[in-house]
């Protein structure tokens, strides 16, 4: 009888061990901001996870107990037709875990923001230069210069001393350089490839007296502290449509374009540093 009991206990223990070591899945719940322009896409290890209402739930394959597994989670957010934000995160889970990752909030270090080229119409560039009171003594800067219209026109029409532009897209850099050559102002309009979030690439801001910009809310907000730090008192910034984070503009005006559309322009005048 005793032998039967012992054998039974050993079997139960073995069964218990097997159950304890059974592989189990984990779940990763991803919180995201939905965009009214385009559905936010969430991928885990490159595979899209469908869902709605700001939540996507990914179930991992069965995982070995006790081991840690890492998954690459990424949200692609398109708040409008010119901005793409990629928000990546690495998530570590163990078998049986249920973790939540919040990708609804901006991550200044990890977010990659791409804004595509949308040109400012010529007459609106002229209105921006007017608002900034550009004269022949001014040195201009355009962060995200596209085809450099915001530099070439004020240099040609108002005799501005110099124009510096940077663009992250090498194709746009070439377009802008060729256009400056074609328009006969290549000696005054200097275009280089660079990122507006990189202080070194933005070096020319320090010697600029006027910044004309059209870059979108997200990138504008990110660049704003750099502009405020680098510009000298008295410098003027005029932005087509977008504000620069929480830097309050000194003036906002609506102007009518030749195309019949209304355009919003914001002006900042850099104050004495405290
Ligand atoms: C909306 S367009 C404006 C072009 C021009 N300033 C205008 O108003 O006609 C924005 C430009 O910024 C460039 N851009 C986007 N992200 C950038 C970044 N991080 N650094 C530099 N340029 C960027 C794009 O390639 C594009 O040419």
């Amino acid at each position: 009888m005793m032998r039967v009991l012992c054998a039974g206990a050993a079997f139960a223990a073995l069964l218990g061990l097997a159950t304890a070591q059974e592989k189990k899945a984990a779940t990763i719940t991803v919180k995201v901001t939905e965009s009214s322009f385009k559905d936010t896409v969430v991928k885990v290890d490159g595979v899209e996870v469908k869902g709605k209402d700001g939540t996507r739930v990914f179930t991992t394959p069965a995982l070995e107990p006790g081991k840690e597994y890492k998954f690459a989670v990424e949200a692609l957010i398109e708040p409008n037709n010119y901005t793409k934000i990629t928000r990546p995160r690495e998530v570590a889970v163990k078998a049986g875990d249920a973790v939540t990752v919040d990708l609804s909030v901006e991550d200044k270090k990890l977010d990659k923001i791409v804004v595509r080229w949308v040109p400012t119409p010529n007459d609106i560039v002229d209105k921006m230069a007017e608002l900034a009171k550009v004269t022949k003594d001014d040195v201009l800067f355009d962060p995200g210069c596209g085809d450099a219209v915001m530099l070439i026109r004020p240099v040609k029409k108002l005799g501005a001393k110099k124009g510096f532009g940077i663009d992250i897209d090498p194709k746009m850099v070439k377009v802008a350089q060729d256009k400056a050559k074609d328009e006969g102002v290549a000696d005054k309009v200097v275009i280089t490839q660079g990122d507006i979030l990189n202080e070194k690439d933005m070096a020319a801001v320090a010697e600029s007296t006027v910044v004309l910009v059209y870059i979108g809310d997200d990138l504008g907000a990110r660049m704003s502290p750099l502009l405020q730090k680098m510009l000298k008192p008295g410098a003027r910034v005029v932005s087509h449509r977008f504000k620069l984070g929480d830097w309050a503009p000194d003036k906002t005006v609506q102007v009518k374009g030749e195309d019949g559309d209304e355009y919003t322009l914001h002006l900042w005048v850099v104050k004495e540093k405290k």
Side-chain angles (χ1 to χ4, degrees):
M1 181 64 180
M2 189 61 181
R3 284 211 358 229
V4 173
L5 271 179
C6 284
F11 179 69
L14 268 177
L15 194 69
L17 200 63
T19 312
Q21 289 182 340
E22 217 170 73
K23 288 178 163 185
K24 263 192 201 157
T27 59
I28 301 173
T29 301
V30 186
K31 297 278 176 204
V32 289
T33 310
E34 303 292 3
S35 154
S36 53
F37 171 67
K38 204 166 187 184
D39 288 346
T40 297
V41 174
V42 171
K43 290 185 178 175
V44 177
D45 282 354
V47 178
E48 185 172 350
V49 183
K50 297 275 186 194
K52 55 181 182 156
D53 300 333
T55 303
R56 311 283 186 277
V57 181
F58 171 73
T59 304
T60 71
L63 307 175
E64 296 277 357
K67 269 193 184 173
E68 188 176 82
Y69 293 81
K70 289 192 173 141
F71 290 87
V73 180
E74 183 180 87
L76 174 65
I77 307 144
E78 293 191 52
N80 46 53
N81 72 348
Y82 48 82
T83 311
K84 287 186 184 175
I85 303 173
T86 312
R87 186 164 294 157
R89 205 64 54 84
E90 190 178 72
V91 181
V93 292
K94 288 188 175 154
D97 279 354
V99 299
T100 298
V101 190
D102 189 358
L103 293 188
S104 67
V105 279
E106 178 194 29
D107 186 315
K108 287 198 169 122
K109 280 208 186 113
L110 296 177
D111 282 8
K112 189 172 159 239
I113 306 176
V114 176
V115 170
R116 72 178 173 89
W117 179 49
V118 183
T120 299
N122 289 343
D123 60 311
I124 302 303
V125 173
D126 296 345
K127 296 242 161 67
M128 291 172 74
E130 201 181 302
L131 186 59
K133 298 198 172 97
V134 172
T135 72
K136 58 184 179 21
D137 297 324
D138 282 313
V139 175
L140 310 177
F141 189 89
D142 180 353
C145 64
D147 68 353
V149 64
M150 283 180 170
L151 304 169
I152 293 171
R153 273 185 88 81
V155 162
K156 283 189 83 171
K157 286 191 78 177
L158 304 168
K161 214 193 301 187
K162 193 114 191 168
F164 292 100
I166 65 169
D167 203 290
I168 204 158
D169 181 347
K171 286 194 290 304
M172 289 320 302
V173 172
K174 172 89 170 69
V175 167
Q177 287 170 338
D178 288 350
K179 192 169 166 191
K181 249 184 242 157
D182 292 349
E183 304 248 358
V185 290
D187 55 333
K188 286 186 162 185
V189 174
V190 179
I191 311 295
T192 47
Q193 190 186 356
D195 185 343
I196 62 169
L197 302 181
N198 179 324
E199 189 164 348
K200 272 197 196 140
D201 296 346
M202 291 278 278
V205 169
E207 58 175 295
S208 303
T209 53
V210 172
V211 173
L212 301 179
V213 57
Y214 182 35
I215 200 68
D217 280 324
D218 303 278
L219 265 182
R222 287 264 203 100
M223 173 186 63
S224 179
L226 204 50
L227 274 189
Q228 294 178 65
K229 178 176 130 186
M230 296 177 83
L231 284 168
K232 294 197 185 76
R236 291 90 74 205
V237 179
V238 174
S239 172
H240 169 187
R241 184 169 164 190
F242 303 104
K243 290 199 185 152
L244 296 170
D246 54 12
W247 190 15
D250 294 294
K251 196 172 180 181
T252 295
V253 296
Q254 304 287 333
V255 296
K256 196 159 188 92
E258 282 169 6
D259 55 8
D261 288 345
E262 288 284 331
Y263 291 82
T264 303
L265 307 179
H266 305 285
L267 166 75
W268 294 258
V269 180
V270 179
K271 312 283 177 310
E272 288 294 337
K273 314 256 160 154
K274 285 177 194 156

